[in-house]
Amino acid sequence: MVVEDDEDIRSLIEFTLKTQGFEVTAVDSGLAGVEAVRTFDPDLITLDLGLPGIDGIETCRRIRETSDAYVVMITARDDEIDRLIGLETGADDFLSKPFSVRELKARINALFRRPRRGPALSVVPTSTEPDHEVLEHGALRVDVDGRRAFRDEDELALTRTEFDLLTELMRTPARVWTREALLRSVWGTDWATDTHLVEVHVGNLRRKLGESREGPKFVRTVRGVGYRMESL
């Protein structure tokens, strides 16, 4: 789904997605996008930040109430805060205007290479099914194949990116992941300038895990390096 009020850009994205084999629905406003998501249940949404009526941030918030589609926020603004706010509403990635068709394709292809599976290291599988991967770390449990995450008995409302990030950290809980390594593993990109994507999503994940200044911690920041799971 393409949500973009600029007709030329909307047509360009629509054409690009069709050449990649997608069936595309295109709308020109946030309200129309929210309604179309409920109707068509898309796998991918490109969402302009500067929409008329309700902007891309509010549109993304409403979309996230009913959809876990991949969301790529597209912005013409250079203000970093706008990008971060967009990500905090549940966007998985962003593109700045002007962007190239090549970059758009690369970003989308990277998203659809997920979810990824790999060997479980330093974790305890809790399922009797040999091919069903379940990870545990303290009060956290992740059913990788079922795409569900729990803290104690409470299921966590994670976006796809937050789920993939938590899974990657929990598979190797003693490893210190650099931001660049997480970009490659979770986002499938080598763009080093996008390391703030990792920082914002780690912050979102911590909030949803229920971390607080006084309460338990699950993700530790290793100063000057990156992140790892907190030691038990």
Side-chain angles (χ1 to χ4, degrees):
M1 177 169 296
V2 179
V3 187
E4 170 63 63
D5 64 317
D6 185 300
E7 183 176 358
D8 291 336
I9 297 176
R10 186 170 66 247
S11 297
L12 174 63
I13 298 174
E14 186 175 3
F15 175 78
T16 301
L17 292 175
K18 285 181 176 178
T19 63
Q20 296 291 95
F22 289 95
E23 295 180 7
V24 182
T25 298
V27 297
D28 61 1
S29 72
L31 287 174
V34 172
E35 185 59 34
V37 166
R38 292 172 180 158
T39 301
F40 297 104
D41 190 23
D43 297 309
L44 169 74
I45 303 165
T46 67
L47 178 60
D48 184 40
L49 181 62
L51 292 168
I54 62 170
D55 64 11
I57 294 171
E58 178 61 24
T59 300
C60 193
R61 285 198 184 101
R62 297 189 190 186
I63 285 173
R64 278 289 175 245
E65 292 175 0
T66 59
S67 174
D68 67 346
Y70 291 120
V71 175
V72 179
M73 190 80 79
I74 298 177
T75 174
R77 305 179 192 175
D78 291 328
D79 191 336
E80 186 80 358
I81 294 176
D82 281 336
R83 295 177 182 175
L84 298 182
I85 290 174
L87 290 167
E88 288 171 357
T89 66
D92 298 287
D93 203 350
F94 75 89
L95 272 175
S96 297
K97 299 176 184 176
F99 56 85
S100 68
V101 169
R102 177 178 172 274
E103 183 179 6
L104 175 61
K105 289 180 178 179
R107 298 274 185 161
I108 291 170
N109 288 337
L111 288 174
F112 278 92
R113 284 195 293 268
R114 297 155 47 196
R116 300 173 63 252
R117 294 191 60 192
L121 303 174
S122 303
V123 292
V124 180
T126 60
S127 172
T128 58
E129 300 177 32
D131 295 329
H132 195 92
E133 187 181 8
V134 178
L135 312 176
E136 288 191 340
H137 188 82
L140 300 179
R141 178 166 55 90
V142 171
D143 177 354
V144 179
D145 299 275
R147 305 279 303 172
R148 302 176 73 188
F150 301 84
R151 176 179 172 181
D152 296 318
E153 298 304 315
D154 297 325
E155 185 165 2
L156 303 170
L158 304 181
T159 67
R160 292 188 184 190
T161 297
E162 291 160 0
F163 181 90
D164 293 342
L165 179 59
L166 178 61
T167 298
E168 207 65 26
L169 290 168
M170 285 182 62
R171 279 200 178 113
T172 54
R175 172 179 175 177
V176 178
W177 286 83
T178 67
R179 294 165 180 82
E180 291 78 9
L182 284 170
L183 275 174
R184 288 191 296 270
S185 185
V186 177
W187 280 266
T189 177
D190 285 316
W191 284 299
T193 56
D194 287 350
T195 53
H196 69 275
L197 280 170
V198 179
E199 296 165 5
V200 172
H201 279 91
V202 167
N204 293 344
L205 178 60
R206 281 171 163 158
R207 186 174 64 252
K208 291 187 178 181
L209 293 177
E211 289 194 8
S212 63
R213 184 171 300 177
E214 298 80 16
K217 304 292 190 297
F218 297 102
V219 179
R220 166 172 285 194
T221 299
V222 179
R223 193 177 302 276
V225 183
Y227 306 97
R228 67 167 173 82
M229 296 301 294
E230 185 64 77
S231 299
L232 295 178

